[in-house]
Amino acid sequence: MELDQVMLLGSVVLLVSIVAARLGTRFGLPSLLIFLGLGVFVGQFVLPFNDAAVAHSLGFAALVIILGEGGFTTKWSEIKGALPGAVLLATVGVGVSVVVVATFAHFVLGLDPVMAVLLGAITSPTDAAAVFSVLRKVPLPAKLRATIEAESGFNDAPIVLLVATATLWSLGTGAEGGPVWMVVLILLELAGGVLLGVALGWLGVWALRRIALPSSGLYPLAAMGWVVLAYGLGSVAHVSGFAAVYVTAVVLGNGKLPHRHATRSFAEGIGWIAQIGLFVMLGMLAEPRRITWAAVLAGLAAGVVLTFLARPLSVFLCLSWFKVPWREQLFVSWAGLRGAVPIIMATVPLAAGAPGAEALFDMVFAFVVVFTLLQAPTLPWVARRLQVSSGEDATDVEIEFAPLDTISADMMQVHVPEGSRLHGVTIRELRLPKNSVVSLIVRNGEPFPVGADRIVRVGDDLLIVTNGDDRKRVEGRLRSIHRGGRLGHWMER
């Protein structure tokens, strides 16, 4: 196809995907399955596509963007308490799932040992794109949400190495060292990626807070470019690039960057583009006429074992150490969504020409479609039935700031969400530092002046000008009142 035809087709697919996502939300269908179905249609009737190597490369690039978006929107205050359990799920938990599924695939489905390990490795990781897009629509306790999201951010790293090694085994070329060395290598690469992400994230925050860029639109570009740099440096250093990406984005997202709301919005927008492109491309790669009932049934059988045996077992073994209630453990088990990651991992042996790779891809494709359709729409219902969500949890107060270089001050934009205890508080009761002032309130799109007795309402946007030194105190007071009411900030130390 000519370039102009590609651009025409790409824009049409993007717009159709956006409309389809809106309709899918209305009818309770996961957006990722709609994109996948659209890709199947395009691949069968518009533009045939069967290059697994290109799909593998583009899929990894899309995952970098998606992981970066997830990291930017992750709050450190929520994730730090859940991090040990999430890391254990992403390593030990994944290993348990691989062993259980591989054992079933070998002794019940009759796959040879290497292909059985490949099937277990490919299907075990949860998918960041599915988790970030579906789970954030479900009101959950912060620590529970953080556990599931952090797991999806970290578990790609060990799986990439395991799938690559198993693919070499299937080709008969072997790999240096045995299983013990492979486990050690996985842990070393994961640890190296985390350390690289922390260092790059800290350096990025330091640089972006001190360099005055000529346009506010350059800050989101610089932040996302820094995240992609983390993946490249991770690959060069032979550590986990995916872990480096996620950690770098978490550090940047929590680093009080200028125009951070714009950065999060940009990351969310480009994340949506990556998700749409990823699932459409993987749908184009699928070949429905090639998929046999034997492959479908094998994939569904493996999915049943993974969903109802391997996943709950791995969650129990990992989270029981942290005294996580059994209801939350059950929800974490059901919320282990599989989406693009298993399909992308299935392209590794497919691109390498491994024997049986096409049948393996078909099994994984059928498994992802059916179990995503089963799990994703039922998550809100399951959360309510397990009493891990009341359905009324308030989102956190949104605070954005931009530097005012000429007066060495910051202008903060504060959005008051549903459920916030800022509702009903007067400006006087905020008791902001003397060098900080609420200059304007925007309500229902209409701005108006502010007096000391003006009452804050849900949905308001407050514009606050503050001395740079007092910004942290102002933000701390607003968040404490948001959670604890008008006297909440008196509890601050």
Side-chain angles (χ1 to χ4, degrees):
M1 298 181 70
E2 299 293 334
L3 177 60
D4 53 355
Q5 294 174 316
V6 172
M7 294 180 67
L8 174 62
L9 177 61
S11 62
V12 169
V13 170
L14 176 62
L15 295 174
V16 170
S17 298
I18 293 172
V19 174
R22 177 68 184 90
L23 294 176
T25 301
R26 176 174 298 179
F27 295 105
L29 296 175
S31 300
L32 55 90
L33 289 185
I34 297 175
F35 304 151
L36 204 61
L38 181 60
V40 172
F41 175 83
V42 172
Q44 295 301 305
F45 301 104
V46 181
L47 181 63
F49 176 73
N50 58 5
D51 195 326
V54 171
H56 169 258
S57 299
L58 293 179
F60 271 46
L63 279 181
V64 169
I65 301 299
I66 293 167
L67 282 173
E69 186 268 332
F72 278 125
T73 54
T74 297
K75 295 181 175 63
W76 173 248
S77 61
E78 297 177 356
I79 196 177
K80 62 181 179 181
L83 204 54
V87 172
L88 204 59
L89 280 172
T91 51
V92 176
V94 165
V96 171
S97 294
V98 171
V99 170
V100 173
V101 175
T103 301
F104 172 81
H106 177 60
F107 290 103
V108 178
L109 298 182
L111 299 182
D112 66 75
V114 175
M115 294 304 293
V117 170
L118 264 176
L119 179 61
I122 288 170
T123 57
S124 291
T126 57
D127 177 45
V131 168
F132 293 143
S133 64
V134 175
L135 200 65
R136 292 184 180 179
K137 300 174 185 176
V138 183
L140 294 171
K143 187 174 182 180
L144 179 60
R145 182 194 309 278
T147 298
I148 303 170
E149 291 184 355
E151 177 200 5
S152 69
F154 284 116
N155 65 13
D156 294 343
I159 285 300
V160 168
L161 183 58
L162 181 56
V163 171
T165 303
T167 299
L168 291 176
W169 289 341
S170 69
L171 294 171
T173 57
E176 295 183 3
V180 175
W181 170 244
M182 183 181 66
V183 172
V184 172
L185 189 59
I186 287 174
L187 295 177
L188 288 175
E189 290 202 3
L190 184 59
V194 170
L195 292 175
L196 177 62
V198 170
L200 283 177
W202 180 86
L203 184 60
V205 170
W206 182 88
L208 290 175
R209 285 177 60 87
R210 285 163 176 78
I211 298 175
L213 298 178
S215 171
S216 61
L218 292 176
Y219 285 94
L221 285 174
M224 185 56 72
W226 204 262
V227 166
V228 176
L229 175 68
Y231 180 80
L233 290 179
S235 300
V236 171
H238 297 289
V239 298
S240 172
F242 288 124
V245 163
Y246 184 68
V247 174
T248 299
V250 170
V251 176
L252 288 173
N254 289 271
K256 315 301 182 187
L257 298 179
H259 306 287
R260 62 180 177 178
H261 182 69
T263 300
R264 286 197 301 267
S265 298
F266 175 78
E268 185 177 3
I270 199 171
W272 270 107
I273 292 177
Q275 288 185 48
I276 292 172
L278 175 61
F279 285 104
V280 169
M281 178 192 67
L282 293 177
M284 293 173 64
L285 187 64
E287 181 56 64
R289 287 170 289 192
R290 186 188 66 204
I291 300 177
T292 64
W293 279 109
V296 171
L297 293 176
L300 296 183
V304 169
V305 171
L306 176 64
T307 304
F308 296 101
L309 177 60
R311 174 69 177 178
L313 178 62
S314 64
V315 170
F316 173 77
L317 293 176
C318 293
L319 297 188
S320 294
W321 296 94
F322 305 99
K323 298 181 180 179
V324 176
W326 68 268
R327 294 179 185 274
E328 293 188 5
Q329 289 190 34
L330 285 179
F331 183 79
V332 172
S333 299
W334 190 248
L337 301 177
R338 271 76 185 178
V341 169
I343 303 178
I344 293 172
M345 294 303 168
T347 65
V348 175
L350 190 64
E358 287 188 353
L360 185 64
F361 182 91
D362 295 342
M363 282 189 282
V364 172
F365 191 87
F367 155 72
V368 167
V369 170
V370 172
F371 280 87
T372 302
L373 190 60
L374 173 66
Q375 291 174 269
T378 60
L379 279 178
W381 179 84
V382 171
R384 290 192 298 271
R385 294 292 295 177
L386 292 174
Q387 300 177 4
V388 299
S389 170
S390 64
E392 300 174 352
D393 303 68
T395 56
D396 197 8
V397 60
E398 298 176 11
I399 300 177
E400 162 69 7
F401 79 94
L404 300 175
D405 296 331
T406 56
I407 60 173
S408 300
D410 290 328
M411 183 178 69
M412 306 177 69
Q413 177 180 333
V414 181
H415 177 72
V416 183
E418 287 286 344
S420 174
R421 293 190 178 182
L422 280 167
H423 176 76
V425 175
T426 66
I427 299 300
R428 189 192 312 275
E429 289 170 329
L430 294 178
R431 298 185 63 84
L432 300 179
K434 63 179 181 179
N435 292 325
S436 304
V437 60
V438 180
S439 61
L440 198 68
I441 292 181
V442 180
R443 181 175 297 164
N444 298 324
E446 295 292 331
F448 52 83
V450 178
D453 296 321
R454 177 69 70 179
I455 297 176
V456 177
R457 302 292 184 190
V458 166
D460 285 354
D461 288 290
L462 282 64
L463 298 183
I464 302 175
V465 177
T466 179
N467 182 287
D469 296 333
D470 289 333
R471 179 176 55 79
K472 289 185 178 180
R473 293 173 58 199
V474 173
E475 186 170 349
R477 287 190 175 184
L478 291 172
R479 292 194 186 278
S480 62
I481 296 173
H482 159 72
R483 298 187 181 101
R486 53 173 47 86
L487 298 180
H489 66 270
W490 291 108
M491 303 302 294
E492 289 183 351
R493 295 182 179 179

